[in-house]
Amino acid sequence: MPITTHRDQSPSGYWKVQLWLGTHLIEEHVAPTELAQRYADVIRLRIAGLPDRQLRCEPLTVNELAYPGTRPYDPRD
């Protein structure tokens, strides 16, 4: 299952791929569309049949990419 059907759905061309266990973030990757799709495929295979695990993929904006990984994005800035 593709994370996107149109390349223009992510204005920056980057995606955030996250693995959640219930309410806890277990793993996160920020990558260009093609690599993000590979991360999503691998995570989907790893969590198949396991309870309470969820894969989330979100497109990143240009503003979000401008922030360093150690500082969370704050839209009020």
Side-chain angles (χ1 to χ4, degrees), residues 1-61:
M1 169 185 290
I3 60 174
T4 179
T5 55
H6 303 287
R7 295 182 70 99
D8 60 351
Q9 284 186 332
S10 175
S12 66
Y14 279 77
W15 289 78
K16 183 182 348 179
V17 180
Q18 299 176 326
L19 171 58
W20 288 80
L21 174 57
T23 59
H24 301 285
L25 177 63
I26 303 299
E27 187 176 329
E28 180 178 65
H29 303 278
V30 173
T33 303
E34 293 82 12
L35 183 56
Q37 179 64 57
R38 291 183 187 137
Y39 279 130
D41 291 342
V42 169
I43 291 171
R44 201 174 285 116
L45 288 172
R46 287 179 23 215
I47 66 173
L50 298 174
D52 294 330
R53 284 160 177 86
Q54 182 181 16
L55 173 65
R56 297 181 190 171
C57 300
E58 301 173 2
L60 292 179
T61 65

